[in-house]
Structure formats: structure tokens, C-alpha cells
Amino acid sequence: TMTRYLDESDIMMVEEGFTTRDLLENLLLEVSQGSQEAFFVADLEDVVKKHLHLLKALPRIKPFYALKCNRSKGVVQMLAGLGAGFGCASKAEMALVKSIGVPPDRIICTSPCKQISLIRYAASQGVQLMTFDNEVELSKVARSHPSARMILCLATDDSRSSTCMSMKYGATLKVCRHLLETAKEMNVEVVGISFHIGSSCADPQLFTQSIADARLVFEMGAELGYKMHLLDIGGGFPGAEESRGRFEETAAVVSSALDLYFPEGCGVEVIAELGRYYVDSAFTLVVNIVAKKEVPLDQPGSDDEDPGGKKSFVYHLNDGVYGSFSSVIFNNVCPIPILHKKPSPDLPLHSSSFWGPTGDGLDCIADGMELPELHPGDWLIFENMGAHTMPAPSALCGAQQAQIYYTMSRMAWEAVQLLQGKLLHPEEEDRESTCTPLSCGWEITDTLCVAPVFTPASIM
Ligand SMILES: *Cc1c(COP(=O)(O)O)cnc(C)c1O
């Protein structure tokens, strides 16, 4: 297969130090005369830095990217070029990564409950790694994809993460022995254990519990004659700029749990399947106010008093929960806008709500915000908008996906080219030269010393 990585012409190259906000100002100057469509600025340098930071913070972990989080072309091609693997939950996702030339041994089919057509498609594409959490799935796989390498997905305590997954996915410890025995009877190979603590997990200690559980199931498997060698610790790492501290804390917890339960040299390959971590902070969304209405202020018991000039406004935006704000429904988040026109600080604040363009009563982005009076044509900026903000076309209710402007500094681009060259032709490098600093001096340098960064073949 031809590998199709990102092309320079897809990216707006900026000077080192030129921020997303600077670029955004330029774009708004350009578009303000013409289109008022919503758009994203996607800082691919941020994605690259996240990848390198992960390799540095958790050098034992081979990163996979959970495609469902954001399947925009720039992100997917960039991560493919950097050697990440991909977690795909649908045929469309698998076809997407196949189309850019990702080899099948870097793809995991991550839905534990798959339609048979998806199992067959994976088989036809040479994708062998798949998760399961029930007996029915094993018999489907035994029939439709007998050479699959299965990963048993454990339930986790997700009561403290923003989306609850265990209700839907994951086998409890109690049923694992039975599932492993059944797989043996059906001649289905089980190569490892996975779990996913859920998105935006509040408590990194959940990783310790789940890694300990996984160790128990590895032992259970060994008693039954299995030689499992893969641990998939799922996602749940935070990705917003403000969550850096929590990322470090999570990485430290994971690192010590691995040292304890799966020490280096134990023969188990550890992978993670990160979504939000990679993309959250890279994307900034810019939307326009298309309409405005003043509505009666509900102030119980204050009808005869002057509420101090306070009013209540409803604003209609040109993007909503069926578009780029789907995270409002998906993750229960309340997006906070940054006003593009800086208001003067002495303006009165009014109760403000923001609505999307559909007529649907659910299409409410935010409610009860205290903001100065805004006007149609004003721009609102939302940061940390990379996760679950690009719904599949079918979910857009006929609306258009907001355009994405990809950006990165030329220096970072050159560093990525060098890194890609090293990943594609590792045989041309001896170990010493892998550690020589890059001529461009970008911070990629010391991470390259952990090369070979990712040798997918070694997972198998
Ligand atoms: C969505 C998902 C992930 C990624 O979750 P993030 O919190 O976005 O990192 C990982 N594993 C599975 C099984 C998932 O469904």
C-alpha cells in the first residue's frame, strides 16, 4: 500500500511563537467581509508535542489513537506518520486508516460488540486484534474471523468519569475464567487484556485498580494455558491545556502500577488507546452570533423592583450540539466562550444563553451565562474543542461540518519530516546517529533518543 501522510500544502505554516490566537485574528480579518461560517483552527504542532510528551512520560507504552474522538484528516494523517496505531470502532473508521496506508498490525478493532459485517471486514483487511467481553462475540468471531487475536475487555469502576462505559462494555472479573475457557473450547486465540476507565477520569487511581485486575486475569489465563502478552490500558488521559498537572499525575500512577503488576521484562507489551489526550487542546472553534432576542428575566419575587438594568438574552449561533458542540451532549460539558471583541469591564452583565441553528429544543449550548450584551455578527471563541466535536456526517442533520484550518510552525514540520524519515527507514540509522540532535533544534531532539519509537511488529 501507498502511505499517504500529510502534505505541506494542507497546513498553514507559521513562524515559531505565532499562536493560534494570532492566526485566528488573521483569519477573522480575512473572513469578516465574506463568510461568517464557523471554523476550527487546529494546531497540529500541539498534537505532535502531545505524542512526543507521551513517549517521554510513559516510554513503555505504545500509543494508539482512538479514532472516534476526532477523525479529521490532519490529525489522523499526522499520527499515522508519527507511527501511532489506531483504535477503530466501525467499518468507516477502519476504512479511513486503511486508506491512508496504516498497516493492519497497527489497527485494533475496539468495539467489544461488533456487527458480523464488521468482523468480516476486519478479516478481509487483515486486521487481527479485536476486543470482546462476552461469549456470543466469541462464537461470532470463531465463525467469521478464526485467525483473530482477541483482547478480553474488563469492566472498570467508571463511576467518577464523565461518561459511564462499564454499563455498556466490559466483563467483570467473575466471568473472565468462563470466557477464557469458552475461547479455548472454540479455538479462539486470546492474546491480552484491555480496559477503558472512561473519558476524563477524575481519579487516576482507577488505573491502579484496573491494572491490578488485569494482572489477576493474566494469571487466570496462565492457569488455563494461555500465554497472553498484550495489555491495553485504554484512554481517559486528560488533554486540555489546564489539565497538564492531572496528566502528569495520571502518568505517574500508571507508571508505578505497571512497575508493580507488569514489571519491565515480564514479556507483556503495553499499549494505550488515547483520544482526548491527543486532540483536546489542539482545536479552537470560532462561531458567529447570527441572531439575538431579549427575553423576560425570571427573577422570582422581584417583579416590582428594578433588577439593576439586568436583562436576559438568547443568542443563536451558527453551530450547535448537532455539529461542533456535540460534546455538550456526549460529555456533559459546558463550553465557555471567549469574546473576540474585548468588552469594556464596566458594562453590565446579563443572563445569556446560546442556541444552535436547529429548531430542536435540545440544541442548547450554554445557559445562564453572565455576559455583557453581544450582537449579531460578533465572534465567539471556544478553546479545547478537539474531542468529540466532529460528528459523522450522518449526525449533522444536513448541516456542514465547520471548516478546519490546520497550522503548525515550519520548525515543527521539519522535525516531523525528520522523525518520519527515521521511522520509515530505521535500518539506515545506527543507534548513535539516532541520538544526534536535529539541526532545527526543536524539542523533538531528546525524545528521538528513545527510538526506535514504535515497532508495531513487536506487539504481535
Ligand atoms: C473512546 C475510547 C477510548 C479513548 O478515550 P479518551 O478518554 O478519549 O482517551 C479508549 N478506549 C476505548 C475502548 C474507547 O471507547
Side-chain angles (χ1 to χ4, degrees):
T1 15
M2 259 283 286
T3 307
R4 288 182 31 230
Y5 293 154
L6 212 55
D7 194 80
E8 196 172 335
S9 64
D10 295 325
I11 303 175
M12 303 175 81
M13 294 291 174
V14 297
E15 294 302 314
E16 179 94 338
F18 196 79
T19 64
T20 293
R21 284 302 289 277
D22 298 332
L23 180 68
L24 212 150
E25 293 302 328
N26 288 3
L27 286 168
L28 284 179
L29 280 178
E30 275 170 39
V31 299
S32 56
Q33 288 92 346
S35 146
Q36 294 185 317
E37 298 297 336
F39 65 90
F40 283 103
V41 174
D43 181 3
L44 291 177
E45 184 163 333
D46 193 62
V47 176
V48 176
K49 285 180 173 166
K50 287 278 184 66
H51 183 69
L52 298 176
H53 187 70
L54 180 74
L55 296 179
K56 202 150 92 180
L58 288 163
R60 278 184 66 196
I61 290 188
K62 309 211 180 312
F64 278 64
Y65 173 60
L67 257 185
K68 72 155 191 284
C69 196
N70 173 332
R71 43 196 258 198
S72 64
K73 178 181 161 191
V75 168
V76 178
Q77 292 193 338
M78 179 58 82
L79 288 174
L82 291 173
F86 290 89
C88 303
S90 69
K91 188 174 163 182
E93 291 181 1
M94 220 180 280
L96 173 68
V97 291
K98 285 291 292 182
S99 77
I100 60 170
V102 175
D105 59 7
R106 274 208 263 148
I107 301 172
I108 301 181
C109 186
T110 56
S111 168
C113 303
K114 295 169 281 298
Q115 198 167 308
I116 290 183
S117 60
L118 175 59
I119 300 173
R120 292 209 183 106
Y121 180 73
S124 75
Q125 299 300 308
V127 173
Q128 289 190 304
L129 289 170
M130 332 186 119
T131 58
F132 77 105
D133 63 6
N134 64 82
E135 206 173 323
V136 176
E137 198 67 11
L138 283 173
S139 56
K140 277 153 58 183
V141 168
R143 254 178 291 131
S144 305
H145 192 358
S147 67
R149 296 163 167 238
M150 303 303 287
I151 303 171
L152 172 52
C153 174
L154 301 185
T156 55
D157 173 9
D158 60 3
S159 52
R160 295 178 63 187
S161 77
S162 70
T163 48
C164 292
M165 294 278 296
S166 284
M167 286 276 282
K168 197 167 154 193
Y169 292 132
T172 56
L173 282 180
K174 276 198 209 93
V175 303
C176 284
R177 180 179 293 271
H178 175 67
L179 287 176
L180 290 171
E181 283 167 350
T182 310
K184 266 241 134 74
E185 283 158 21
M186 292 181 177
N187 253 333
V188 174
E189 191 182 2
V190 181
V191 297
I193 302 297
S194 74
F195 60 83
H196 173 44
I197 59 162
S199 224
S200 305
C201 170
D203 181 6
Q205 288 303 335
L206 284 185
F207 275 104
T208 308
Q209 183 58 53
S210 292
I211 291 171
D213 288 352
R215 165 69 186 261
L216 282 179
V217 185
F218 265 77
E219 283 166 7
M220 209 182 270
E223 285 165 25
L224 298 171
Y226 280 101
K227 290 195 183 65
M228 293 192 281
H229 53 80
L230 184 63
L231 172 66
D232 174 356
I233 65 166
F237 284 67
E241 190 53 45
E242 311 76 75
S243 313
R244 235 162 218 278
R246 197 150 55 80
F247 170 83
E248 302 303 338
E249 189 193 342
T250 308
V253 168
V254 167
S255 191
S256 43
L258 288 176
D259 285 347
L260 188 59
Y261 298 107
F262 293 92
E264 200 128 18
C266 70
V268 173
E269 203 92 36
V270 187
I271 67 177
E273 232 182 273
L274 305 178
R276 175 177 300 278
Y277 168 73
Y278 271 113
V279 291
D280 207 11
S281 56
F283 281 66
T284 301
L285 176 68
V286 189
V287 301
N288 200 259
I289 296 179
V290 295
K292 159 188 176 185
K293 243 183 329 196
E294 186 174 346
V295 293
L297 189 68
D298 349 302
Q299 283 214 324
S302 69
D303 28 6
D304 52 349
E305 287 155 39
D306 173 22
K310 196 173 151 94
K311 300 173 185 176
S312 178
F313 291 105
V314 167
Y315 299 100
H316 291 261
L317 309 182
N318 56 356
D319 207 338
V321 302
Y322 295 101
S324 313
F325 290 101
S326 56
S327 56
V328 171
I329 291 180
F330 197 92
N331 284 331
N332 228 344
V333 298
C334 179
I336 312 239
I338 297 169
L339 307 182
H340 175 241
K341 270 193 225 145
K342 284 284 148 277
S344 88
D346 46 336
L347 285 176
L349 300 181
H350 307 290
S351 168
S352 313
S353 65
F354 294 110
W355 294 78
T358 67
D360 190 323
L362 259 184
D363 200 358
C364 179
I365 298 154
D367 198 8
M369 295 214 166
E370 296 289 316
L371 294 171
E373 184 170 355
L374 306 172
H375 304 281
D378 286 353
W379 293 98
L380 301 177
I381 300 164
F382 295 86
E383 293 179 329
N384 295 312
M385 286 294 285
H388 307 293
T389 50
M390 326 251 149
S394 60
L396 277 168
C397 295
Q400 276 226 306
Q401 156 81 63
Q403 185 170 353
I404 303 170
Y405 295 97
Y406 295 107
T407 178
M408 74 192 296
S409 73
R410 172 146 314 269
M411 224 177 223
W413 172 257
E414 279 164 14
V416 166
Q417 300 313 297
L418 280 165
L419 182 54
Q420 274 175 7
K422 285 174 196 287
L423 288 172
L424 286 174
H425 309 288
E427 67 285 355
E428 287 170 17
E429 306 279 345
D430 55 34
R431 267 198 110 65
E432 259 114 12
S433 70
T434 314
C435 288
T436 39
L438 296 179
S439 53
C440 69
W442 205 57
E443 69 177 72
I444 210 166
T445 321
D446 54 340
T447 317
L448 271 179
C449 293
V450 303
V453 175
F454 181 27
T455 41
S458 65
I459 292 181
M460 300 301 121

